[in-house]
Amino acid sequence: MKYTTIIGLEIHLQISTRTKAFCSCENGFGKEPNTSVCPVCLGMPGSLPVLNRQYLYRAVKTALALNCEVARRMKFDRKNYFYPDLPKNYQISQYDMPLSQNGFLEIMTTGGIKKIGITRAHMEEDAGKLIHDEGGSSSFIDLNRAGTPLLEIVSEPDISSPDEAYTYLKTLKSVLEYLDVSDCNMEEGSLRCDANISLMPAGEKGLGTKVELKNMNSFKAIRQGLEYEQDRQAKILSSGGVIVQQTRLWNEKKKITELMRTKEEAHDYRYFPDPDLNDFIIERDTVLMLKKSLPEMPRAKMNRFVKEYNLSEYDACLLTSDRRMADFMEESVKLYPKPKVIANWLTGGVQAYLNEHNCRFSQIAINAGMFVDMIRLIDSKLISNNMAKDVLEEMISSGVPAKDIVKKKGFLQITDKTAIESIAADVLQSNPKVKEDYLSGKKNALGFLIGQIMKKSQGKADPVMAGQALKKLLEAGHEGV
């Protein structure tokens, strides 16, 4: 039997602020354990939380960028549960009056643009962190993270495959990076994702029994976890079994999901309004001010790149998926108005370098001036495209200008017509059979002969001039030197 997959995602985004959500403790990563805590973020008796304005503003900006309706009045609630890294036994969150709801995010799929609904984006504080002694029997608690500001972004169950979930996450991360409201570092826990997945017989409407997946700390793991769970549920349903609502953990080493607990419902948390925090009125002038401060978003920039630079949607989408690369593209075009050539090198050689070294554009040592200087060397025929690939890689890794690399490696391209014709004559003399093939009508033989010139010149000959030289000699009935 065929099944329809239904996926909804919950993103926990750590908002970058100077201080924590409700106190003046520093909000940062990597400090000595338990050095950034106070009675407020630990919920000690008598302490009173105060909402961080920077946190509120950045949360509103994110909600607006996700096309959400921002509430005029919102309140905070206590979500009660016991956990070792939550010493006060409740988390300040939002329940029935959240910051925002009813938004959407557009993603690019193989079937075109798809709109994924955003149920709500609400504010809440983070808990602490457990550190387990590997191989030992002890666990430690670091409460520096307790009270750091989070925004939980909950999607509608509009996602219909693990691939779409992956695309949604990549698109969302790109929007968040444009907003500069979080570093989105998954390894440090700044962006975490839980997923709900259920299956229904194809053609039927409604939702199946959902299973929640946790503990996925990379986009790759999220896609793998969903693929595994999709297969697991399909096998259970096909054999006449019943899916049980539960929370499961993704085991990265075994590549399987494992039972964590049966799923809690909202009433299990005994939400009630936080008595230490009044309701908040969000002034419309403030919302309008924040809306005006939003930068150009990735999709708008992509459409502009297509229109202004005459790029394909694919290239424009790739370039604008990373804000730093998109800014670099625009800066380069200002210096050298050949957008198509610049885009080709960014989506080709530079992207290949990023993939190979598993790094982000913001981590490489290159500036627009150096980059367009390299392209000028190619356009001036001083280096070939093949040489430029080597130059680009060394330039990115070392930060040395292209001209200095070309000089050091003796990469200057041979463009002297007489010199190339001399090499072509030698190649024809050394390959009489191939020469006869060409003259008898096998035009593909020309490619082999050009390759021999490139080999003989150590890749320095201009390949276009090499082809022209060969044709000239062959058409003149060259008999060798």
Side-chain angles (χ1 to χ4, degrees):
M1 179 179 285
K2 290 187 177 179
Y3 297 98
T4 300
T5 301
I6 302 158
I7 298 171
L9 298 177
E10 296 176 7
I11 308 299
H12 289 86
L13 177 73
Q14 195 171 96
I15 301 293
S16 298
T17 53
R18 190 177 61 80
T19 56
K20 291 186 180 180
F22 300 104
C23 67
S24 58
C25 289
E26 184 180 342
N27 177 28
F29 180 83
K31 294 173 69 69
E32 283 292 313
N34 301 308
T35 57
S36 186
V37 293
C38 73
V40 174
C41 57
L42 297 181
M44 301 290 281
S47 61
L48 291 174
V50 177
L51 178 61
N52 182 333
R53 186 191 297 268
Q54 189 181 32
Y55 170 31
L56 173 65
Y57 281 12
R58 293 191 170 189
V60 171
K61 285 178 69 172
T62 307
L64 290 169
L66 296 175
N67 305 291
C68 289
E69 300 165 5
V70 177
R72 293 186 71 87
R73 177 188 288 267
M74 69 169 190
K75 72 177 176 69
F76 287 97
D77 302 276
R78 289 187 178 182
K79 183 180 180 182
N80 296 275
Y81 63 99
F82 172 79
Y83 211 66
D85 58 4
L86 190 69
K88 58 188 180 184
N89 288 347
Y90 68 85
Q91 176 187 27
I92 299 177
S93 183
Q94 294 187 307
Y95 182 51
D96 56 340
M97 292 172 61
L99 169 76
S100 63
Q101 51 194 339
N102 301 327
F104 66 86
L105 179 68
E106 290 182 335
I107 65 171
M108 184 78 80
T109 70
T110 51
I113 292 174
K114 181 173 180 179
K115 189 180 285 188
I116 306 296
I118 304 290
T119 311
R120 54 193 273 155
H122 69 260
M123 305 167 75
E124 64 183 24
E125 62 177 349
D126 209 345
K129 185 180 179 183
L130 290 178
I131 302 165
H132 303 291
D133 183 16
E134 251 183 74
S137 57
S138 302
S139 291
F140 305 93
I141 304 174
D142 179 5
L143 294 171
N144 282 348
R145 201 175 69 178
T148 55
L150 293 181
L151 188 70
E152 182 169 337
I153 302 167
V154 183
S155 86
E156 290 287 301
D158 294 337
I159 300 168
S160 51
S161 72
D163 279 345
E164 270 192 18
Y166 181 85
T167 303
Y168 170 83
L169 289 166
K170 294 280 284 186
T171 307
L172 177 60
K173 184 168 181 274
S174 176
V175 168
L176 298 171
E177 287 176 338
Y178 270 65
L179 292 171
D180 202 19
V181 294
S182 171
D183 61 19
C184 297
N185 189 326
M186 295 191 80
E187 290 181 353
E188 295 178 0
S190 301
L191 194 156
R192 309 192 291 273
C193 176
D194 298 336
N196 291 308
I197 175 171
S198 65
L199 267 60
M200 284 287 289
E204 290 191 17
K205 293 183 178 179
L207 299 173
T209 303
K210 67 182 179 182
V211 167
E212 185 180 28
L213 292 187
K214 286 182 175 291
N215 202 37
M216 300 172 291
N217 59 5
S218 71
F219 289 172
K220 183 182 175 185
I222 291 164
R223 180 156 61 184
Q224 289 177 332
L226 287 169
E227 286 171 348
Y228 177 87
E229 191 59 24
Q230 181 178 247
D231 291 343
R232 187 188 74 86
Q233 293 187 25
K235 286 175 183 172
I236 292 174
L237 294 172
S238 296
S239 62
V242 176
I243 303 297
V244 178
Q245 183 169 334
Q246 56 189 209
T247 299
R248 298 179 70 85
L249 291 175
W250 171 242
N251 187 318
E252 180 68 35
K253 289 183 180 175
K254 296 180 180 177
K255 305 295 182 194
I256 60 172
T257 64
E258 298 171 327
L259 176 64
M260 177 185 179
R261 61 174 183 248
T262 55
K263 175 64 179 170
E264 296 92 344
E265 298 292 347
H267 63 260
D268 293 323
Y269 292 117
R270 295 188 301 108
Y271 281 100
F272 63 82
D274 192 309
D276 292 336
L277 289 161
N278 290 328
D279 291 4
F280 287 82
I281 304 296
I282 305 175
E283 298 290 348
R284 294 302 91 179
D285 287 349
T286 302
V287 174
L288 186 61
M289 178 268 290
L290 293 170
K291 192 169 188 176
K292 285 180 179 176
S293 73
L294 294 179
E296 184 182 31
M297 289 290 107
R299 180 156 299 282
K301 195 179 281 282
M302 184 196 87
N303 291 334
R304 184 165 61 79
F305 276 18
V306 170
K307 187 177 178 182
E308 285 186 9
Y309 298 155
N310 198 27
L311 302 179
S312 68
E313 278 198 358
Y314 177 82
D315 284 348
C317 184
L318 190 59
L319 288 166
T320 55
S321 63
D322 184 316
R323 181 178 180 177
R324 302 288 180 265
M325 186 184 283
D327 291 345
F328 188 91
M329 169 76 191
E330 293 192 277
E331 193 178 343
S332 299
V333 171
K334 284 179 186 172
L335 296 171
Y336 198 56
K338 289 192 173 185
K340 182 62 180 169
V341 176
I342 290 168
N344 285 345
W345 276 100
L346 283 174
T347 58
V350 174
Q351 189 62 50
Y353 182 94
L354 297 178
N355 293 341
E356 184 181 346
H357 294 81
N358 193 28
C359 61
R360 302 167 68 181
F361 191 84
S362 58
Q363 296 174 301
I364 61 176
I366 185 173
N367 61 51
M370 293 164 59
F371 184 66
V372 299
D373 278 349
M374 183 202 74
I375 295 177
R376 286 193 180 103
L377 290 175
I378 303 167
D379 288 352
S380 303
K381 296 189 179 300
L382 291 172
I383 58 173
S384 67
N385 279 311
N386 282 336
M387 292 173 184
K389 290 176 185 173
D390 292 336
V391 171
L392 177 66
E393 183 164 347
E394 182 164 341
M395 186 168 67
I396 292 174
S397 58
S398 68
V400 174
K403 285 181 181 175
D404 293 345
I405 296 170
V406 168
K407 187 177 179 182
K408 183 180 77 176
K409 297 201 169 191
F411 268 176
L412 285 180
Q413 186 168 244
I414 299 172
T415 54
D416 182 274
K417 192 175 178 182
T418 304
I420 291 177
E421 283 183 357
S422 174
I423 299 171
D426 286 346
V427 166
L428 289 175
Q429 190 171 26
S430 303
N431 296 276
K433 177 67 171 60
V434 182
K435 172 184 163 186
E436 289 306 317
D437 286 345
Y438 179 85
L439 293 174
S440 65
K442 295 180 180 176
K443 301 302 180 187
N444 289 341
L446 187 67
F448 173 82
L449 295 170
I450 293 173
Q452 293 304 299
I453 291 178
M454 298 308 293
K455 185 177 179 183
K456 203 172 178 64
S457 66
Q458 297 180 317
K460 295 180 181 179
D462 182 326
V464 175
M465 293 182 71
Q468 292 170 345
L470 283 167
K471 284 182 180 177
K472 178 183 174 184
L473 293 173
L474 288 164
E475 288 166 6
H478 174 73
E479 296 296 336
V481 178

